[in-house]
Amino acid sequence: MTVTTGGGAAPPVGVLALQGNVAEHLDALRACGADPRPVRRPAELDEVAGLVLPGGESTTLSKLLVAFDLLEPLRARLAAGMPAFGSCAGMILLAREAIDARPDQHQLGALDVVVRRNAFGRQVQSFESDLAVTGIRGGPVRAVFIRAPWVESTGRGVEVLARIPGSVSGPASGKVVAVRQGPVMATAFHPEQTGDARLHDLFLHRVREYTA
């Protein structure tokens, strides 16, 4: 089922509600004028025009997608062009390949990228950085990284939206941390943690474009 929106109506947008900052994403979407809904079952997935995949633990989320009979329906909706926005673990699941993931982890393959799981290192639990993000007006985005991935490589058709500033020392310098390919976007960081809903608004513009 493909949901369409028209006449300026608030699009029904889901948040995968199996693990992670579900409430924070729902609040951010609501602040942008969307009609946000938690998604735990295939029938709930059928009713939304787009889906946010929140952070959490990618291996656990992969197993829960199977347990809740969501893996194949979600793959089918993504293949059919459903807009999606993944943050942190959501980015890992949307990628076609994840380095350092368990061999039995399921990938959704909606982004032609290779990501490295826990790329910033377990010894660094979290950090913050101001990022210039393509398509975001009003100044830099404050990005919160919590045991985050980064993008090792991108395929054709993948747009890089943000990188770690070159002024940051160490192996993270210049690494890709936000991407978009068609209706699917992903960030290595947690935009729902800061009260800045501009990335969610950017995603909703994509939802409206692809469901008009």
Side-chain angles (χ1 to χ4, degrees):
M1 174 180 178
T2 302
V3 180
T4 59
T5 62
V13 178
V15 177
L16 186 65
L18 304 180
Q19 189 194 48
N21 293 335
V22 176
E24 291 86 347
H25 279 291
L26 290 169
D27 287 343
L29 291 166
R30 195 173 293 112
C32 296
D35 175 15
R37 307 172 184 187
V39 170
R40 299 183 183 88
R41 298 293 182 185
E44 295 167 339
L45 179 64
D46 286 344
E47 296 301 319
V48 297
L51 184 71
V52 173
L53 288 78
E57 205 285 318
S58 59
T59 303
T60 300
L61 282 168
S62 170
K63 292 178 179 178
L64 289 171
L65 284 173
V66 174
F68 281 78
D69 297 320
L70 275 170
L71 179 62
E72 294 307 326
L74 180 51
R75 280 177 170 164
R77 285 294 308 275
L78 290 168
M82 180 185 69
F85 174 21
S87 64
C88 198
M91 168 187 266
I92 296 171
L93 291 175
L94 287 169
R96 66 172 172 83
E97 182 181 344
I99 299 171
D100 292 336
R102 284 173 52 108
D104 59 348
Q105 179 169 300
H106 301 286
Q107 298 300 128
L108 296 169
L111 288 168
D112 188 10
V113 299
V114 177
V115 301
R116 183 174 294 277
R117 189 171 174 268
N118 291 333
F120 292 92
R122 293 179 180 273
Q123 74 278 12
V124 181
Q125 294 301 310
S126 64
F127 73 98
E128 299 183 18
S129 180
D130 289 328
L131 303 179
V133 180
T134 299
I136 297 294
R137 299 180 179 179
V141 171
R142 189 67 174 172
V144 177
F145 295 86
I146 303 173
R147 300 180 70 177
W150 66 44
V151 178
E152 288 278 343
S153 64
T154 61
R156 295 181 61 183
V158 176
E159 179 186 6
V160 174
L161 299 182
R163 296 176 181 267
I164 296 291
S167 57
V168 174
S169 61
S173 180
K175 290 295 186 182
V176 174
V177 290
V179 293
R180 180 169 59 190
Q181 184 176 13
V184 180
M185 61 182 285
T187 63
F189 52 91
H190 292 264
E192 78 284 359
Q193 293 274 23
T194 63
D196 182 346
R198 287 179 292 168
L199 275 160
H200 291 82
D201 192 53
L202 182 65
F203 170 60
L204 288 174
H205 280 290
R206 216 64 166 177
V207 173
R208 291 185 173 99
E209 289 173 3
Y210 278 81
T211 58

